[in-house]
């Protein structure tokens, strides 16, 4: 299952996504964790020190390898150079699986041990000095979007993405790539402002959106969030001594997380698993093609010198049962 955590800066989305990753890992489920935020904090939230986090391989730096691998023998893609972030898979494309080993994971993912369980961590990479003033951050997240377009995930396996803050992710089609999107909101007017933007787009594209109330101190906070977001409010999370210790670099064993917060994480898990029955691979593929054609027309054709609409395989639908070619 593909899960996104979104919210305004400072809402606690990275902390919540890291807790959910730990929760999933503790169940024994296979997990790929992806930091797609412009501020790369997921690694430290999962226990890496700053130096180790800085040494993680950046997805954006391996984009040629990713494109070449995913292209496979797809006859509609003339070369890896003509692939853009929205290029959809077709007959002959190589697909990614959560549980497998492949050259993309070898180059871009690093195993991370969490209380005896292991997850794969992938990061877009930070904005560098060379990017300032000349590059858009979506050039970094393009590798994530390309991988999500080619990822075939099944029940009880998870890809959790810590997205860039605010409504910035709407600048691409990546917000439609998920089975469930958790919007982390504080009980303030600013805290729910991103929800209003996100819910409008989510409704238009059939995005499954639930709100996680964070930094909640009492019933007044819960009532405020319920008034602002209605039935989209799934759970709330309050103060956590465990999180405070984690932020100081000394997290206790995850089993010692406070029981109310453990119940909230379980509720997130149940909501994600319930969304499996609502999966619509045809719509998923159709939306992929929709955003690819928009990007091709607005900038992709000119950038690559090719007609990128020709990359669309009209008979192809991404499904769990597809077999990846060797």
């Amino acid at each position: 299952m593909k899960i996104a955590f979104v919210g305004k800066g400072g809402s606690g989305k990275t902390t919540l996504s890291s807790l959910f990753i730990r929760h999933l890992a503790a169940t024994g489920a296979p997990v790929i964790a992806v930091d797609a935020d412009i501020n790369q904090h997921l690694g430290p939230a999962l226990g890496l020190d700053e130096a180790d986090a800085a040494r993680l391989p950046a997805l954006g730096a391996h984009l040629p390898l990713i494109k070449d691998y995913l292209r496979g023998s797809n006859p509609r893609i003339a070369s890896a150079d003509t692939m853009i972030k929205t290029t959809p898979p077709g007959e002959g494309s190589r697909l990614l699986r959560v549980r497998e080993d492949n050259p993309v994971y070898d180059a871009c993912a690093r195993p991370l041990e969490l209380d005896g369980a292991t997850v794969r961590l992938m990061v877009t990479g930070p904005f560098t000095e060379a990017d300032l003033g000349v590059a858009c951050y979506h050039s970094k997240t393009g590798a994530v979007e390309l991988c999500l377009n080619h990822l075939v995930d099944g029940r009880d396996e998870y890809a959790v993405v810590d997205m860039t803050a605010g409504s910035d992710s709407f600048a691409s089609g990546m917000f439609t790539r998920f089975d469930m999107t958790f919007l982390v909101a504080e009980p303030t007017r600013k805290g729910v402002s991103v929800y209003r933007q996100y819910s409008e787009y989510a409704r238009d594209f059939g995005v499954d959106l639930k709100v996680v109330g964070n930094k909640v101190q009492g019933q007044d906070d819960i009532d405020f969030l319920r008034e602002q977001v209605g039935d989209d409010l799934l759970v709330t999370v309050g103060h956590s001594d465990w999180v405070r210790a984690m932020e100081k670099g000394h997290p206790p064993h995850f089993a010692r997380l406070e029981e109310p917060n453990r119940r909230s994480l379980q509720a997130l898990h149940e909501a994600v698993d319930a969304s499996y029955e609502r999966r619509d691979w045809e719509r998923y593929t159709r939306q992929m093609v929709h955003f690819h054609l928009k990007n091709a027309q607005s900038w992709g054709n000119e950038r690559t010198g090719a007609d990128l609409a020709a990359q669309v395989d009209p008979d192809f639908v991404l499904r769990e049962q597809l077999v990846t070619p060797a």
Side-chain angles (χ1 to χ4, degrees):
M1 309 296 291
K2 302 181 184 76
I3 305 106
F5 279 81
V6 300
K8 79 172 186 66
S11 64
K13 69 177 181 62
T14 298
T15 298
L16 264 295
S17 61
S18 72
L19 290 177
F20 190 58
I21 289 164
R22 290 177 184 271
H23 164 83
L24 293 173
T27 70
V31 181
I32 294 175
V34 182
D35 192 343
D37 195 352
I38 190 170
N39 299 306
Q40 302 274 278
H41 295 316
L42 185 58
L46 291 171
L48 290 179
D49 62 36
E50 295 293 339
D52 287 338
R55 286 193 290 267
L56 290 169
L59 278 160
H62 292 86
L63 196 52
L65 178 150
I66 294 170
K67 290 180 177 180
D68 190 60
Y69 179 78
L70 297 179
R71 175 189 170 216
S73 59
N74 187 334
R76 294 177 177 273
I77 303 176
S79 70
D81 290 339
T82 64
M83 293 180 72
I84 62 174
K85 63 181 182 178
T86 55
T87 295
E91 189 67 32
S93 295
R94 289 194 183 98
L95 305 176
L96 302 175
R97 309 279 177 161
V98 172
R99 301 172 189 264
E100 70 179 2
D101 293 319
N102 59 54
V104 174
Y105 294 159
D106 290 344
C108 304
R110 290 295 176 265
L112 187 61
E113 184 176 331
L114 300 174
D115 293 330
T118 301
V119 304
R120 281 179 167 137
L121 175 61
M122 304 170 74
V123 302
T124 60
F127 225 46
T128 65
E129 185 174 345
D131 296 320
L132 296 178
V134 297
C136 167
Y137 188 65
H138 299 103
S139 64
K140 302 288 186 182
T141 59
V144 179
E145 187 168 355
L146 196 57
C147 287
L148 289 175
N149 279 354
H150 290 74
L151 178 64
V152 182
D153 50 316
R155 188 191 295 271
D156 299 326
E157 51 186 26
Y158 304 89
V160 182
V161 182
D162 181 22
M163 297 279 279
T164 190
S167 57
D168 207 35
S169 55
F170 291 120
S172 75
M174 195 158 69
F175 74 98
T176 65
R177 302 296 84 202
F178 302 98
D179 295 285
M180 178 65 68
T181 296
F182 292 125
L183 191 145
V184 181
E186 299 169 83
T188 64
R189 286 184 295 177
K190 286 185 178 180
V192 299
S193 61
V194 173
Y195 165 79
R196 295 193 182 93
Q197 294 174 297
Y198 225 108
S199 60
E200 182 178 342
Y201 287 103
R203 192 179 306 111
D204 291 342
F205 287 91
V207 173
D208 214 339
L209 178 70
K210 293 296 180 183
V211 174
V212 181
N214 194 28
K215 305 178 186 178
V216 169
Q217 298 182 8
Q219 189 61 45
D220 286 349
D221 287 344
I222 297 174
D223 292 343
F224 173 82
L225 286 170
R226 183 71 68 186
E227 177 186 344
Q228 296 296 317
V229 308
D231 291 339
D232 283 343
L233 180 63
L234 179 63
V235 294
T236 61
V237 178
H239 172 79
S240 172
D241 289 333
W242 191 97
V243 169
R244 181 62 60 87
M246 180 269 290
E247 290 174 342
K248 293 178 179 177
H250 305 289
H253 194 280
F254 187 64
R256 295 176 62 185
L257 181 71
E258 300 85 358
E259 183 60 29
N261 292 331
R262 292 178 64 84
R263 288 197 300 268
S264 292
L265 293 175
Q266 181 59 34
L268 300 187
H269 193 170
E270 291 171 1
V272 168
D273 285 353
S275 72
Y276 181 85
E277 304 303 332
R278 300 190 293 274
R279 278 191 154 188
D280 184 342
W281 286 104
E282 290 187 356
R283 183 183 70 182
Y284 188 85
T285 305
R286 189 166 58 248
Q287 289 177 341
M288 193 189 310
V289 169
H290 168 77
F291 284 104
H292 177 63
L293 294 178
K294 285 187 66 174
N295 278 268
Q297 186 174 23
S298 64
W299 61 270
N301 290 343
E302 182 179 357
R303 180 81 58 85
T304 63
D307 177 12
L308 300 185
Q311 294 179 343
V312 175
D313 185 341
D315 299 320
F316 182 88
V317 177
L318 192 68
R319 298 186 187 278
E320 282 181 56
Q321 294 78 18
L322 287 169
V323 177
T324 303

